[in-house]
Amino acid sequence: MCGIVGFVGKQACTSILVNALRKLEYRGYDSAGIAIFEGERIKTVKAQGKISEGLEAKLKTEPIFHATCGIGHTRWATHGEPSDVNSHPIGNGRVSIVHNGIIENYREIKAFLTSKGYGFESETDTETVAKLLDYYYEGDPMEAIEKALEDIQGAYALGIIFREHKNKIYAVRKDSPLIVGKGDGESYIASDVTAILEHTREYYCLERGEIAVLDERGIHFTDMHGEPIEKELQTATWDVESAQKGGYEHFMLKEIHEQPEAVKNTLSPRVKDGLPDFSECGLTAEKLREYKHIFIVGCGSAMHSGMVGKYLIEDLARTPVIVDIASEFRYRNPLVSSGDLVVIVSQSGETADTLEALKLSKAKGADTLAVVNVVGSSIAREADMVIYTNAGPEISVCSTKAYAVQVAFMYLLAFEVAYSRGKIDEEECKRLTAGLLAVPEKIQMCLDDMSGYQFVASKIFNADSLLYIGRGLDNALSMEGSLKLKEISYIHSEAYAAGELKHGTISLIEDGTPVIVAATQSALFEKTLSNVRSVKSRGAKVVMICRESEAIDANCADYKVGLPDAEDLFLPLISVVAMQLIAYYTAVQRGCDVDKPRNLAKSVTVE
Ligand code: G6P
């Protein structure tokens, strides 16, 4: 996830900015840069790669004057590959900006500015904001910011400098976080307090619709119309180390909490006029109408997202979908050919088996669509079409937010396939899309109180083995829940279709065996309950994950994890949060190394 810093004071700012950027390295990034006031101009130095190898190496070769104000950025690529030119700060000499978030309507803004004679150097959405500010700037930065923000849709935090307003930083935000630090005769902006803790613990949280103006005299807050506002000063109590994880004990917990924003960032750029839109990568409705078969291929959690995709696409679009594990697909001479679509899913974009599955599909003449998180990765470069999932960097080995965004994309894909094939009409497609866009709020509701997950974890953490069961979409979800638990807690667990238990696996149930039941699908609820009764009567300790409103007989379940109400279709994307958190707290209670589980690697680039 990108990081923003800014400094204004009396000291030389270059090393302050670079050190602050280093503190944000934990967020993950692929390039870094700074822009500082130097004499009468803005000087920008930026480079792809690690701060030490790229930006700092470049700074050593540049003559740097004594500058006391500047902005800096670590970039995690979303629009445009990691490169020097796509790095931030971005501007044109008159205005320079650093940006976190995604500008959804950047194509429209770019077309408008192009018609006004502007040219563009980078592939970023950010450059459109820099040029838009320049377009509106007629001497008053506040007026330019106010006008530009009226045109911009999406999520953003921005640090802005104007050449003609020397040693002043303007900061605004919507959705992406930004804080303003208050030091002794100096001020800062930063994506989080980690970046400035060595200088000050005092900071303000910038809220949506507020503008902060920082200069040598101090910090001044106004609303969008320039009316002054008073803000409450906060004091950070974190130590530097815990702040690296944004105050969370583990990256996994932090990444679980990032899911509402991550899902929003995946979905919103792909919805136009209330309908799914994949024109960015050339996946048109015509193509989706014509494909003979749809394959979804990946490893681990990525493959599990495909299982959800299969249920959704087959149900809504009445089109058969084949889901496969990449290491199996590549060696079984799959029945893929020209006229088929192969969806290749991978967080890292580097998984060796998945990459080979992609190459094989291309060699067999199929169209390939990569659904990847890391921009410019091997799979993204190799595929015919790419959708970036925009989850930001995932550091914990155990995938959480990357899975959630893959699943979120599967929903949109299913809606678009169904719509393009006439299986749902425009009204229904819009209704479903609106329902999906409301899911992040429901995910947030699952994140507001941890006590239920902690309680369940306290009841299962001593188990030697357990089962996850569910039917339909809940079955697909259980596979991911079970994988999370075994990855990080080292408890043996197995996911099983609830109705299939009686054909063998039920023999594993003995007194006290925990069984985690996903029961979110109304049509299958009673069927699942009868499976629950049969494991309960054999001594199982049952944990039900279902709607909070569902009345569960105490003879049936020992513990209930309640979910917010939502349409059946969307509940798997919400209930996965409960599965992740049960796994997380179980691993914590067992004293496991949550972020770096034994024997596992984040990116598996060997067969
Ligand atoms: C590893 C990770 C899993 C991940 C899988 C696929 O096994 O530990 O969490 O799901 O690789 O990774 P990819 O980067 O291709 O999604």
Side-chain angles (χ1 to χ4, degrees), residues 120-331:
F120 289 84
E121 288 168 12
S122 75
E123 301 156 81
T124 63
D125 51 342
T126 303
E127 190 175 359
T128 62
V129 180
K131 302 272 162 84
L132 193 64
L133 283 162
D134 184 78
Y135 171 74
Y136 283 127
Y137 178 69
E138 287 173 346
D140 180 355
M142 298 293 273
E143 197 181 295
I145 292 170
E146 188 183 334
K147 285 185 177 161
L149 294 188
E150 271 174 27
D151 292 354
I152 293 170
Q153 289 164 16
Y156 52 80
L158 297 167
I160 310 164
I161 55 177
F162 292 83
R163 186 183 61 209
E164 291 165 12
H165 297 265
K166 197 172 167 185
N167 293 351
K168 261 191 205 290
I169 300 174
Y170 297 83
V172 287
R173 63 154 288 221
K174 179 184 163 237
D175 296 337
S176 304
L178 198 63
I179 58 130
V180 181
K182 179 177 180 294
D184 186 9
E186 50 199 32
S187 308
Y188 306 82
I189 58 168
S191 291
D192 66 50
V193 77
T194 330
I196 59 168
L197 266 186
E198 68 179 275
H199 303 289
T200 180
R201 288 182 174 276
E202 300 203 305
Y203 67 99
Y204 300 93
C205 290
L206 198 62
E207 302 296 340
R208 183 191 278 222
E210 295 175 347
I211 303 184
V213 186
L214 294 72
D215 61 23
E216 283 156 13
R217 285 165 300 159
I219 308 159
H220 181 64
F221 293 99
T222 72
D223 67 12
M224 277 300 152
H225 310 294
E227 289 299 316
I229 42 178
E230 290 292 318
K231 290 192 61 74
E232 201 183 321
L233 196 60
Q234 317 275 329
T235 305
T237 50
W238 291 339
D239 57 34
V240 174
E241 203 202 321
S242 71
Q244 288 289 314
K245 291 176 187 141
Y248 292 102
E249 205 179 330
H250 296 100
F251 281 111
M252 181 176 171
L253 190 58
K254 173 173 172 281
E255 287 158 7
I256 289 172
H257 277 83
E258 285 171 348
Q259 290 179 115
E261 195 189 342
V263 169
K264 247 185 246 168
N265 286 343
T266 304
L267 295 177
S268 51
R270 279 98 201 197
V271 176
K272 276 224 176 81
D273 302 325
L275 291 167
D277 181 303
F278 305 132
S279 54
E280 67 182 280
C281 70
L283 185 61
T284 58
E286 292 69 41
K287 281 188 182 177
L288 284 173
R289 194 165 33 241
E290 299 302 323
Y291 288 127
K292 290 196 290 250
H293 306 103
I294 298 176
F295 291 79
I296 306 178
V297 183
C299 300
S301 299
M303 188 279 286
H304 287 163
S305 76
M307 292 303 297
V308 178
K310 175 183 169 73
Y311 275 98
L312 295 170
I313 298 170
E314 291 190 344
D315 182 27
L316 293 169
R318 315 307 303 153
T319 298
V321 176
I322 302 104
V323 178
D324 218 337
I325 296 165
S327 56
E328 286 294 312
F329 179 87
R330 60 182 288 202
Y331 291 119

Side-chain angles (χ1 to χ4, degrees), residues 299-302 345-349 351 354 397 399 406 487 601-602 604:
C299 300
S301 299
V345 190
S346 173
Q347 187 285 130
S348 62
T351 304
T354 314
V397 168
S399 184
Q406 288 160 357
E487 270 183 298
K602 183 74 188 154
V604 186

